[in-house]
Structure formats: C-alpha cells, structure tokens
Amino acid sequence: IIDQYIAARGGKDKIAAMSSVNCEGTRQMNGNEVDVKITKVDGKLSRMEFSVGGNNGYVIVTPDKGWTYIPMMSDKVNEMPEARLKSLQDQMDIAGPLVNYAAKGYKAELEGKDTINGQEAWKIQLTSNSGKTITFLIDTKSNLLIQTKQMSEGGGRNNSGPVEIVTDYSDYKDVDGVMFPQTINVEGSGMGAGSMTFDKIEVNQPVDEKLYKPSN
C-alpha cells in the first residue's frame, strides 16, 4: 500500500530528486485570511512566512535551531525550546515519513480501513523509535494521502496537555511529475487550526541563505 502511495505521488525517483519546495497561498487563521509562503530545503530548512494586517511573521526550523516571530503576540524573535524544535523537524522531510520509513526509524502497521469524508481509506500507523505515532489515511482509489492523525507534543489549549491533530489533504496537483495537495486543513479551533490553500508550488528553486536565519 505504501509502494502504491509512492507510485501515485510520482514514484521514488521523482520524489528523491526534490531538493527544495516553495509554496505560496493563503491560510485561514482566527477568522482572518493570511498570506503564507512555505520554503523547504530537504533535511535542512522548513520556513513558513505569513503576513497579516501589514505585519510579517515567520516560523523557522533547522537541524540545530528554530525561531518564531509572531508580531501579533510579541515584538521579539523567540528561539524555540528544544522539545518543540524536535517535534517540528520532520517538516524538513520533503518526501514525508512514509517514503523510506524504515530507514527513517519508523515501523509500519496496517490497521485495516476507515471512511474519511465519504472516502474509503487504508489506515497505516507509523511508530518512531521514541514511541511517537502518526496515522496515515490513504485513499483506496487514488492511493493518495487524504488525512493524518497524531498527538501534539503537549501545550494544547490552555496547556491542557497533548491533543490530537487531524490534518486533511485534498485538491492534488501535478508539479514537475510529483503530486502535491493544494489544500491542507488542520481540523479544530486551536492556534494551529485552519485551512491553507496554495496557488503556487515550485520545486528545486534556489533558496536564499538568508532564509535560514531570523530576519529581524
């Protein structure tokens, strides 16, 4: 099933050939439409920039450090605590955990089928060496990913502890031979919830070294 998913996305060779991805679009945040730009360099960088009300912010993740700058909440750049940085570093993996999952330290288990938004899906659970689990729902017809489920690292709403994060993927588009979801929706009403829609996706474009560091 995982091999069918990889083939549906474009195949191992096409996926492995991606060194960087740039996505631009909008995101619904707390009732507002926010411009977003996501830049990823495989294994080296994940950067999300957003603009709301004339203010620009960002979240940067690298192998060594991470930073957040959210001007609506603070006028300072904050370095990420180590635990949060580790929880976000898998965002630097352009291919995603399912591709070469064993080499990335995961074990895979098929847990049957489920129905997601009216679509029949295979249910696969990956478990990392540290015990972290991610559940992947793969459409039985298209063989593409339509949903993931995982627990947050804690600090949910009102610091009530870990919460389940459910993310839906839809509206796939072929970009240089690889299928990308143009719409990603995080269910719920917490800080990270909301729908993101990309109108521009590019692969293997040059990435400015300045993007690896805080810009203010």
Side-chain angles (χ1 to χ4, degrees):
I1 293 167
I2 293 174
D3 286 344
Q4 290 172 350
Y5 157 76
I6 292 170
R9 280 211 66 199
K12 270 192 175 181
D13 291 345
K14 283 279 188 181
I15 294 171
M18 293 189 297
S19 59
S20 68
V21 175
N22 295 304
C23 305
E24 295 181 24
T26 57
R27 178 176 177 178
Q28 301 296 325
M29 285 178 67
N30 300 324
N32 298 313
E33 187 172 271
V34 179
D35 291 328
V36 295
K37 181 178 180 181
I38 295 174
T39 304
K40 295 189 179 187
V41 179
D42 195 40
K44 297 179 180 179
L45 174 69
S46 174
R47 178 183 177 115
M48 182 179 76
E49 302 173 35
F50 53 90
S51 176
V52 56
N55 294 313
N56 300 317
Y58 51 78
V59 178
I60 303 172
V61 177
T62 73
D64 303 312
K65 290 185 177 182
W67 298 269
T68 58
Y69 176 56
I70 305 175
M72 302 84 77
M73 300 174 65
S74 170
D75 59 358
K76 293 182 179 179
V77 176
N78 293 301
E79 188 169 327
M80 270 185 207
E82 187 174 351
R84 181 159 188 239
L85 175 63
K86 285 185 176 180
S87 74
L88 296 178
Q89 284 178 328
D90 59 1
Q91 294 181 3
M92 296 184 291
D93 180 4
I94 291 177
L98 284 173
V99 180
N100 297 323
Y101 68 89
K104 293 172 182 176
Y106 290 99
K107 293 181 180 178
E109 183 179 359
L110 177 62
E111 297 190 326
K113 292 180 181 178
D114 205 343
T115 302
I116 305 298
N117 301 323
Q119 296 172 270
E120 185 183 59
W122 295 107
K123 189 176 182 180
I124 294 174
Q125 181 171 283
L126 291 191
T127 304
S128 70
N129 292 330
S130 64
K132 176 183 174 182
T133 62
I134 312 172
T135 301
F136 295 82
L137 284 303
I138 296 173
D139 186 2
T140 57
K141 291 182 180 178
S142 69
N143 292 316
L144 291 170
L145 180 67
I146 56 175
Q147 190 178 85
T148 58
K149 299 179 181 179
Q150 61 183 310
M151 299 304 292
S152 71
E153 296 294 315
R157 297 193 77 184
N158 303 319
N159 290 316
S160 56
V163 294
E164 185 178 53
I165 301 171
V166 179
T167 307
D168 300 309
Y169 304 85
S170 60
D171 192 18
Y172 277 83
K173 175 186 178 183
D174 184 320
V175 180
D176 291 354
V178 180
M179 300 297 285
F180 282 89
Q182 292 181 103
T183 301
I184 300 175
N185 180 57
V186 180
E187 297 180 11
S189 57
M191 180 70 183
S195 180
M196 212 161 20
T197 302
F198 301 117
D199 50 37
K200 183 178 180 181
I201 302 174
E202 298 177 317
V203 299
N204 297 336
Q205 297 296 306
V207 175
D208 195 325
E209 290 293 325
K210 293 178 181 176
L211 297 182
Y212 286 79
K213 297 283 187 181
S215 55
N216 59 328

